[in-house]
């Protein structure tokens, strides 16, 4: 069983930055594939960013390319999402997601990850 816990959400003005963190616990095996999802009110959950195993460049949703950066800390498996130049449209609950399987080329759909955290709220408003 993998447990994921997000932190770092909050309220920020448009143009601001936030860095989300996701800590991993509960399993002797490191997650293979990890990513960030988000869900805005009244909308479906969507994938924001995903790290591929094997060195391939990360996947980013078109709406966040050039503004968000996903990274993972070797050893602790802590997952990060650096978010810059935030827009009101980025307002959502952000979820950390993981699967024990690796993803060399495959981009997971939101409901394909085996594990997901409880989420952290990000609100972008003036």
């Amino acid at each position: 069983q993998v447990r994921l816990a997000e932190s770092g959400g909050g309220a920020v003005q448009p143009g601001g930055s936030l860095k989300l963190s996701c800590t991993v616990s509960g399993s002797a095996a490191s997650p293979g594939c990890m990513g960030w999802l988000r869900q805005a009110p009244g909308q479906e959950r969507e994938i924001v960013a995903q790290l591929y195993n094997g060195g391939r460049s990360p996947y980013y949703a078109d709406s966040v390319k050039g503004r968000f950066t996903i990274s993972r800390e070797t050893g602790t498996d802590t997952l990060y999402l650096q978010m810059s130049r935030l827009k009101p449209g980025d307002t959502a609950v952000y979820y950390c997601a993981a699967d024990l399987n690796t993803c060399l080329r495959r981009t997971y759909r939101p409901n394909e990850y085996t594990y997901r955290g409880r989420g952290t709220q990000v609100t972008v408003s003036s």
Side-chain angles (χ1 to χ4, degrees):
Q1 182 76 8
V2 174
R3 290 188 292 273
L4 307 172
E6 303 93 342
S7 62
V12 64
Q13 292 187 342
S17 300
L18 282 174
K19 186 173 184 177
L20 305 183
S21 300
C22 170
T23 56
V24 180
S25 63
S27 173
S30 292
C33 195
M34 297 189 75
W36 287 96
L37 315 174
R38 71 183 180 186
Q39 187 167 21
Q43 297 187 20
E44 293 187 355
R45 192 170 292 137
E46 63 174 347
I47 183 166
V48 176
Q50 178 185 300
L51 281 173
Y52 296 102
N53 306 104
R56 182 182 176 183
S57 295
Y59 167 86
Y60 293 100
D62 287 342
S63 58
V64 308
K65 279 181 183 176
R67 301 187 297 120
F68 289 13
T69 303
I70 186 173
S71 61
R72 180 174 175 177
E73 187 174 287
T74 305
T76 66
D77 289 327
T78 302
L79 189 70
Y80 300 99
L81 185 68
Q82 175 68 53
M83 305 185 293
S84 303
R85 291 183 281 136
L86 283 160
K87 304 176 181 179
D90 295 318
T91 296
V93 178
Y94 284 72
Y95 300 91
C96 176
D99 198 275
L100 292 180
N101 294 317
T102 57
C103 47
L104 294 176
R105 294 183 182 85
R106 178 184 169 205
T107 303
Y108 276 54
R109 289 191 291 269
N111 62 351
E112 291 182 323
Y113 285 97
T114 303
Y115 304 102
R116 191 175 67 238
R118 293 186 175 184
T120 185
Q121 176 71 46
V122 172
T123 302
V124 185
S125 173
S126 55

